Amino acid sequence: MTIARRQHTVTTALTHFLFLSIFCGLFSCGDKYNSKLEDKSVSATTSITIGIIDTISSAVLGEKRALWISVPDSMPGPGWSCNKKGFPVLYLLDAPSNFQSVVGILRAMSRDEWNSMAPQMIVVGIPNTNRLRDLSPTRVVAAPGMNSEALKQSGGGENFSKFLETELFPYIEQRYKTVPCRILVGHSMGGLFSMYELVNHPELFNAVISIDPAVYWDKEKIIEQTANAIEADKLKGRSLFVAMAHNWQSEMDSAQLRRDTSEHTMASRAVQRLIDVLEKNKSSLHWSYKYYDNENHASVPHPATYDGLRFLFREYMMPGYNDLVRKEFDVKGEIERNYQTLSQNLSFSFAPSEASLYLPIFSFLNNENNPDRALPLIEMMLKYYPDLYSNWAMGQYYEMKGDKKAAIKYVSEAIRYFPADFAEQKLKDLKSSK
């Protein structure tokens, strides 16, 4: 990856992280989200731009902080209403280590089609200036692998949290189209800080992905705080995914790990105890964890990020086409139940993307000649996205059912949203054939 400071762009040639949209024509939301993100100095044939570098001056921290920001590739084109409300924001700690992979994973998961696995999001990566200071919740005088001089700077986590809440969040939300849904992703010390935010400031983030977190810190104080927060039911409407890597001898099983007292297994034993606390305490926290027996502390962030996002948004993906075509399958009911669950888990009202509804609608109307299967999807599209394409689809439905009066009504409504040539021609044809 190369960083061009003068243009404030981040570019990468790692094309396997990025997926191009499969849409064109009606399926495209092809306008640029923000023209500021276009790098006019770099040829499109030689570079792929995935974000910008920005800077914020922090009075709380008493320093300038760099921000690595990536926004979705596209915003709605003419006639579409998709994503006009804005995007969730994923805040990423240790940005230089994980920014490229997280942006790539998220773009792959949120392709604007009917089987997207997650919504499009803005990614805000936060590089470190003093990692130990910012990501440690408490000050300690001794910790494995750290010298006492460095530890004198520990314990700035609460101040870093204040920076996020009072300076960074307003900065991002004033400059970009966001919705009140924030996700925090952290690894190691970043995972420790993520847990600290979840249990001490649950109002700041809707969800946390804590990857092999350093919860051994300060005699496992964060584990005790987690147990207390769960017992007090402070985490209602919040979601958590915990990843645990294999960081001990291969011949040692989990039972032996629990009994071990050596320093080199201390971090893993602490993560195990965190999971025990989460499993024993029944609460309204929506959570899951995964143990990665083939990953170590350094390799686990990439698969864990994907798995964490899949867990958080497992109800987001639309039913498969084989389900949609079954007459007994309750299309509308299944989708609405899934999105109701998703919205409850993340305390934000999610809806299927416009393109995820339009693709099967288009197939049912134009390829399958099956307007009745399309109808519940059209009704949902009209509910969430009353625009050119949803009204056009309902007009097409009524034309196929032989109700030209209703067809004219909806095509006329489609034109009211956007006077597309194809819609105006269809209206003329309908009126002339009455």
Side-chain angles (χ1 to χ4, degrees):
M1 180 185 69
T2 59
I3 301 174
R5 282 280 178 181
R6 186 170 62 84
Q7 286 87 19
H8 284 173
T9 61
V10 180
T11 62
T12 179
L14 301 180
T15 56
H16 61 282
F17 281 141
L18 305 177
F19 289 78
L20 300 176
S21 170
I22 67 166
F23 297 120
C24 61
L26 296 182
F27 303 114
S28 175
C29 291
D31 288 0
K32 284 289 182 182
Y33 175 82
N34 190 327
S35 61
K36 293 187 298 182
L37 301 184
E38 297 185 40
D39 183 358
K40 304 298 185 181
S41 67
V42 180
S43 168
T45 61
T46 59
S47 299
I48 297 175
T49 300
I50 65 169
I52 66 167
I53 296 176
D54 200 355
T55 304
I56 180 173
S57 294
S58 171
V60 172
L61 299 175
E63 61 187 10
K64 289 185 176 181
R65 297 299 295 256
L67 305 172
W68 291 15
I69 303 172
S70 177
V71 301
D73 276 339
S74 59
M75 276 295 283
W80 291 95
S81 58
C82 55
N83 291 330
K84 283 185 177 177
K85 293 181 179 179
F87 300 93
V89 183
L90 186 152
Y91 288 89
L92 176 66
L93 303 172
D94 295 321
S97 299
N98 301 309
F99 185 77
Q100 291 170 280
S101 60
V102 170
V103 170
I105 289 167
L106 188 52
R107 290 192 180 189
M109 294 179 70
S110 60
R111 290 174 295 174
D112 201 11
E113 54 182 293
W114 68 296
N115 60 351
S116 291
M117 294 175 279
Q120 293 182 326
M121 296 185 221
I122 298 167
V123 178
V124 179
I126 310 171
N128 301 305
T129 57
N130 188 326
R131 187 172 188 264
L132 180 61
R133 177 198 69 190
D134 291 343
L135 302 184
S136 57
T138 54
R139 184 174 179 178
V140 300
V141 296
M146 300 182 188
N147 63 64
S148 57
E149 193 62 31
L151 289 172
K152 290 179 181 179
Q153 301 180 64
S154 63
E158 180 59 30
N159 203 45
F160 189 65
S161 178
K162 183 180 179 182
F163 157 69
L164 297 180
E165 180 181 11
T166 64
E167 294 180 331
L168 182 55
F169 292 168
Y171 185 86
I172 295 299
E173 290 160 11
Q174 288 168 11
R175 286 162 176 77
Y176 298 93
K177 290 175 68 68
T178 68
V179 295
C181 181
R182 306 187 195 109
I183 298 170
L184 180 61
V185 179
H187 169 235
S188 192
M189 290 296 291
L192 169 66
F193 178 79
S194 299
M195 289 300 305
Y196 175 80
E197 289 292 85
L198 175 69
V199 301
N200 289 281
H201 301 289
E203 72 282 0
L204 297 186
F205 293 96
N206 302 61
V208 162
I209 299 175
S210 183
I211 303 171
D212 222 22
V215 290
Y216 67 86
W217 186 265
D218 198 4
K219 301 178 181 179
E220 303 182 359
K221 182 175 289 186
I222 192 65
I223 300 177
E224 179 184 354
Q225 292 177 345
T226 301
N228 293 337
I230 290 174
E231 186 176 351
D233 203 21
K234 288 175 55 179
L235 307 182
K236 183 177 181 180
R238 293 296 175 258
S239 294
L240 167 66
F241 180 82
V242 178
M244 180 179 180
H246 188 100
N247 297 314
W248 58 92
Q249 302 98 316
S250 58
E251 65 273 10
M252 183 183 292
D253 61 25
S254 59
Q256 290 172 315
L257 175 66
R258 289 180 184 278
R259 295 192 299 268
D260 192 68
T261 58
S262 62
E263 186 176 286
H264 74 270
T265 65
M266 181 181 67
S268 296
R269 284 184 281 117
V271 177
Q272 200 171 50
R273 279 190 283 273
L274 171 65
I275 294 167
D276 289 344
V277 165
L278 291 167
E279 287 183 327
K280 289 176 182 177
N281 290 274
K282 304 298 182 182
S283 76
S284 53
L285 172 67
H286 175 238
W287 78 280
S288 184
Y289 84 96
K290 184 173 180 179
Y291 162 57
Y292 295 81
D293 59 345
N294 292 317
E295 306 292 345
N296 60 34
H297 188 68
S299 66
V300 74
H302 310 306
T305 298
Y306 172 82
D307 289 337
L309 289 170
R310 282 292 283 134
F311 165 70
L312 297 179
F313 293 100
R314 62 186 174 189
E315 295 88 6
Y316 188 87
M317 190 160 64
M318 295 285 281
Y321 188 76
N322 289 335
D323 284 325
L324 292 176
V325 296
R326 289 192 293 117
K327 289 183 179 180
E328 65 274 17
F329 185 74
D330 180 8
V331 177
K332 187 176 180 181
E334 181 72 14
I335 295 172
E336 289 188 337
R337 283 190 294 272
N338 283 344
Y339 275 83
Q340 182 180 19
T341 299
L342 175 65
S343 299
Q344 289 174 347
N345 289 338
L346 292 178
S347 296
F348 176 77
S349 181
F350 284 94
S353 72
E354 189 167 19
S356 72
L357 292 169
Y358 193 79
L359 263 174
I361 289 171
F362 183 89
S363 180
F364 284 134
L365 293 179
N366 296 284
N367 300 330
E368 306 288 339
N369 192 28
N370 192 348
D372 292 332
R373 293 304 290 165
L375 181 60
L377 295 170
I378 298 172
E379 290 172 342
M380 291 183 69
M381 194 173 175
L382 275 169
K383 174 183 176 181
Y384 295 118
Y385 308 102
D387 60 15
L388 165 66
Y389 293 105
S390 55
N391 281 280
W392 166 262
M394 188 61 88
Q396 190 175 1
Y397 165 81
Y398 278 114
E399 182 185 16
M400 294 176 73
K401 299 297 284 185
D403 189 341
K404 290 187 178 180
K405 182 178 179 181
I408 289 171
K409 171 189 172 183
Y410 281 100
V411 173
S412 299
E413 188 68 7
I415 293 170
R416 188 178 72 82
Y417 281 99
F418 186 79
D421 291 342
F422 68 86
E424 291 185 338
Q425 183 60 51
K426 172 59 69 175
L427 184 61
K428 290 180 182 178
D429 294 343
L430 286 168
K431 288 181 175 179
S432 65
S433 63
K434 287 177 64 178

